Amino acid sequence: MSEAHPLWEAALSLRALRSRSQAGTLGDWRIKVRTRFPETARILLTLCPARGDLVSFLIPRKGACHWRSSVEAVQGTPRDRLHRDITVLGAGKRTPAEMLALAAGEPAARIELGRALRDYHSVAIAPYWERIQARIDAEKAHRLRGVAEGGLEHLLSTLVTPSNWNSGVYEINYEMDREIRLDGRGLVLAPSVFCGRRTVVVEDPEEPPVLFFPVSMAFTAPLHETETAFTGSLSALLGPTRAAVLAVAVGGITTTELARRLDVAPSTASEHVKVLRNAGLITTGRAGRHAVHTITPLGSELTRRREAG
């Protein structure tokens, strides 16, 4: 199960930027990013069309967890791979001059691509990254618990709907007919805030395919820019029990599991969660039939200040 990757989320977010789905969760994000969209990043809209496959060189495996190294990896993509991906992307269409220059691997085009990624990231990803990462971490923790309880086949059958595990073949409802043979390469499962309500598959002959699937909580809680200011509602947090709730919610936790960890009734656990959610310290979403609670950036900051004090 993959960690949160800023460049992967950036590439997927470019598709979400033009989508009308997820209005309740990405609506404010979409409005803000559209009004701030940097002109230098226009080439990224061509590289990440609203439908179809993403160009695989924008999903680097090496250094992807770190923004700077992942951008450097993209800028260093071999010329033959750039040419292959861009040719497939532009099949049957008129290719813009800047895309032809990038497909040829021209140094100036590589520099402009890096600038486009950095400028877009500063507007669309960086202000929201703590919340994006928190949701992906919570989804990962939830899915790993599912593997422990039901095994890999159960995990794959519940990532998206409809999907099916059939005699060693994983079948999903995808927007085009395709067959992917792993041939021992493995499969990277990547929870994503921006991939929408369907899976997105990115395949490269030399790397394990990446299967992006939607983070459950992304459909129930709006994505806001990271907040740093504290509010008066934090006065409701006095007491060790709610501090314990914050501590165990770092990786995401269900109400039932929270009640068990705190040795309280589920109704009591729900009441503590409600107070913390109203104070902006916890966000709640659904993963299947379960409500999953995870700490927000504001809650993390409060915890750090308590520890420092």
Side-chain angles (χ1 to χ4, degrees):
M1 191 78 66
S2 170
E3 305 289 341
H5 292 196
L7 182 52
W8 294 8
E9 287 299 285
L12 289 164
S13 75
L14 284 153
R15 297 159 63 100
L17 189 62
R18 288 167 288 181
S19 172
R20 294 183 180 181
S21 64
Q22 299 171 261
T25 58
L26 296 180
D28 289 344
W29 171 85
R30 192 179 290 116
I31 291 171
K32 288 184 178 180
V33 173
R34 283 174 176 172
T35 58
R36 304 173 185 174
F37 193 90
E39 188 63 32
T40 53
R42 289 290 172 188
I43 190 174
L44 300 180
L45 295 175
T46 305
L47 289 172
C48 301
R51 297 181 63 84
D53 290 336
L54 291 169
V55 289
S56 64
F57 68 80
L58 282 181
I59 310 296
R61 311 306 195 269
K62 296 181 179 179
C65 288
H66 305 284
W67 175 251
R68 181 176 297 178
S69 57
S70 61
V71 172
E72 291 173 352
V74 170
Q75 289 183 289
T77 302
R79 179 187 176 280
D80 59 345
R81 184 174 177 183
L82 287 171
H83 184 269
R84 180 195 68 203
D85 283 6
I86 292 175
T87 299
V88 172
L89 179 67
K93 306 173 186 176
R94 181 178 176 275
T95 306
E98 62 269 21
M99 292 287 285
L100 291 174
L102 183 60
E106 295 181 7
R110 294 178 184 269
I111 291 172
E112 287 304 310
L113 176 60
R115 181 186 177 188
L117 288 169
R118 286 188 288 270
D119 289 352
Y120 178 73
H121 174 264
S122 67
V123 167
I125 302 298
Y128 309 89
W129 181 243
E130 288 188 42
R131 290 180 180 269
I132 293 169
Q133 191 170 36
R135 294 181 189 182
I136 290 176
D137 287 348
E139 182 76 11
K140 181 181 176 182
H142 166 69
R143 294 298 180 178
L144 290 177
R145 285 195 296 270
V147 172
E149 295 171 1
L152 181 60
E153 292 184 16
H154 172 73
L155 168 68
L156 291 174
S157 66
T158 58
L159 289 182
V160 293
T161 302
S163 64
N164 183 47
W165 179 267
N166 183 18
S167 302
V169 177
Y170 182 46
E171 302 171 341
I172 59 175
N173 183 18
Y174 201 57
E175 61 184 19
M176 62 186 73
D177 291 334
R178 67 187 301 173
E179 181 179 280
I180 299 176
R181 294 186 177 274
L182 300 182
D183 296 326
R185 290 179 297 163
L187 177 67
V188 178
L189 300 177
S192 170
V193 169
F194 291 107
C195 78
R197 296 183 182 274
R198 301 171 67 95
T199 56
V200 176
V201 178
V202 177
E203 186 180 16
D204 184 87
E206 301 175 1
E207 301 281 358
V210 180
L211 173 66
F212 292 100
F213 65 92
V215 168
S216 307
M217 296 181 68
F219 300 127
T220 56
L223 188 66
H224 297 295
E225 293 183 77
T226 301
E227 301 171 2
T228 57
F230 290 92
T231 66
S233 59
L234 294 180
S235 61
L237 299 179
L238 297 177
T241 302
R242 287 173 188 155
V245 173
L246 283 181
V248 298
V250 171
I253 193 168
T254 65
T255 305
T256 301
E257 187 175 354
L258 178 61
R260 181 182 61 80
R261 293 277 294 272
L262 299 179
D263 194 23
V264 298
S267 58
T268 302
S270 294
E271 185 60 30
H272 286 306
V273 166
K274 179 180 179 181
V275 173
L276 292 168
R277 185 168 54 244
N278 290 340
L281 303 178
I282 276 182
T283 184
T284 299
R286 300 206 67 82
R289 295 175 299 171
H290 302 287
V292 180
H293 317 289
T294 189
I295 195 169
T296 66
L298 182 60
S300 296
E301 179 64 19
L302 177 64
T303 300
R304 286 195 294 269
R305 293 193 180 190
R306 279 185 165 181
E307 291 174 350

